[in-house]
Amino acid sequence: MTLPCLTLARRFDVRLHRPFWMADQAVGWIRASDVPLLARWPDVFALDHARVTLQPGFDTVERRSAALGSVIGALAAEGRIVGWRDETYAIRNTFEAPPIAYIERAASRFFGTMTYAVHLNGIVECAACAPQMWIARRSESKATDPGMLDNVVAGGIGWGLDARATLIKECWEEAGIAAELAALAQPGRTLHVLQALPEGTQAEQIFVYDLALPEDFTPRNQDGEVAEHRLARLEELLRWIGEGTMTVDASLATLDCLLRHRWIEPQPGLEIAPLFKPPVLPAE
């Protein structure tokens, strides 16, 4: 069995990308077709056939951030970087590592740097019916995946927040879930996505959580980023995943939940955990 989300989450051709290096570390992937855009900043980037390197003279977090910031601003003004968020992301290869630099969230996919996100499976269990799950439909105005189905709560982790703090914040903003209830969420697997997208490369680590929601609870969006919520049966979830009407990230988080709770049986092609480690960035 092969589902679209499993294929798309691994849709990445190393040959079409160049590793992005800074501070003696490979920190991202830049599309080979985008590399010429950076040639006008020779004082910022060293370019060759094998990689893009931030010039070594930018030897502190502040200097690296400032150098990237000037380039990102110019590329955004030209429409090369879209979906400006006014959110700061840290460039770091693992979630626990100290930042190498800071960038605007919208630029993370242009440079293919590792990002981190939380996804919540909002589960409703009752004695008289099979388990169900609340699903959100993303607003048509979203910069990424507009109008697609998503987990009831999902959001990127900005600099200065950990996964659980982000989850609690996003629970209220996206679904009106109070902090006291959100704090009861239980962790699932940590998944990895590396896929080529129109705006660049999504290299993302997803922290999955499950939350049992009361039968009488109805999600209510607070920030305008969700168009509607649906309480879905298992067969509906599987159909949406199979049709590709649910985002890749949400499909993976939902499958993780269904497999962990054994609401669907494991079978070849549905092994979630081992398959989502991204390719190792090349060593020096």
Side-chain angles (χ1 to χ4, degrees):
M1 180 179 185
T2 300
L3 296 174
C5 61
L6 303 180
T7 301
L8 292 175
R10 302 188 293 271
R11 182 183 57 183
F12 185 79
D13 189 341
V14 173
R15 297 168 298 179
L16 301 179
H17 297 78
R18 299 290 180 269
F20 178 40
W21 281 71
M22 68 171 70
D24 297 322
Q25 298 182 53
V27 298
W29 297 97
I30 300 175
R31 287 181 297 204
S33 59
D34 286 336
V35 171
L37 296 174
L38 304 178
R40 64 181 130 149
W41 291 286
D43 56 328
V44 178
F45 302 104
L47 311 178
D48 61 39
H49 71 282
R51 67 176 62 171
V52 176
T53 305
L54 192 72
Q55 294 287 9
F58 301 108
D59 54 3
T60 67
V61 172
E62 293 75 19
R63 289 171 181 168
R64 290 188 284 268
S65 302
L68 288 171
S70 63
V71 172
I72 290 167
L75 292 174
E78 297 167 3
R80 300 288 186 172
I81 291 175
V82 298
W84 196 272
R85 307 290 188 87
D86 282 323
E87 293 181 40
T88 300
Y89 271 15
I91 296 179
R92 47 187 172 165
N93 285 335
T94 64
F95 191 64
E96 300 78 15
I100 303 169
Y102 301 106
I103 59 171
E104 152 65 27
R105 175 178 178 173
S108 59
R109 292 187 175 179
F110 181 92
F111 291 100
T113 55
M114 183 66 74
T115 58
Y116 304 89
V118 293
H119 277 249
L120 180 75
N121 295 300
I123 301 165
V124 178
E125 296 189 69
C126 64
C129 62
Q132 297 176 293
M133 193 177 296
W134 280 106
I135 295 296
R137 184 169 67 81
R138 296 165 66 86
S139 167
E140 294 290 346
S141 64
K142 292 282 285 184
T144 56
D145 299 325
M148 294 192 71
L149 298 177
D150 204 345
N151 294 117
V152 66
V153 172
I157 303 175
W159 172 244
L161 293 174
D162 62 20
R164 190 164 285 277
T166 299
L167 180 69
I168 291 172
K169 177 179 75 73
E170 295 288 339
C171 274
W172 176 253
E173 293 176 355
E174 298 202 344
I177 298 172
E180 295 79 10
L181 178 56
L184 301 177
Q186 298 299 307
R189 291 188 179 100
T190 299
L191 306 177
H192 296 263
V193 173
L194 183 68
Q195 63 169 330
L197 298 171
E199 62 269 29
T201 300
Q202 179 191 11
E204 190 154 270
Q205 182 172 306
I206 302 169
F207 300 100
V208 179
Y209 289 85
D210 298 342
L211 179 62
L213 294 171
E215 288 184 60
D216 61 354
F217 175 81
T218 300
R220 290 181 174 83
N221 180 245
Q222 308 293 315
D223 62 4
E225 294 190 1
V226 174
E228 65 171 324
H229 292 95
R230 305 178 185 180
L231 186 58
R233 302 184 303 275
L234 298 186
E235 58 268 26
E236 292 177 300
L237 296 171
L238 291 172
R239 186 178 79 248
W240 293 334
I241 292 170
E243 292 172 347
T245 54
M246 186 179 287
T247 70
V248 170
D249 304 359
S251 296
L252 297 177
T254 302
L255 280 173
D256 171 51
C257 179
L258 299 180
L259 288 164
R260 279 188 288 105
H261 291 277
R262 301 196 71 86
W263 292 333
I264 60 173
E265 290 301 316
Q267 55 184 289
L270 287 184
E271 302 89 346
I272 298 291
L275 294 179
F276 291 91
K277 293 292 184 183
V280 175
L281 287 159
E284 184 69 68

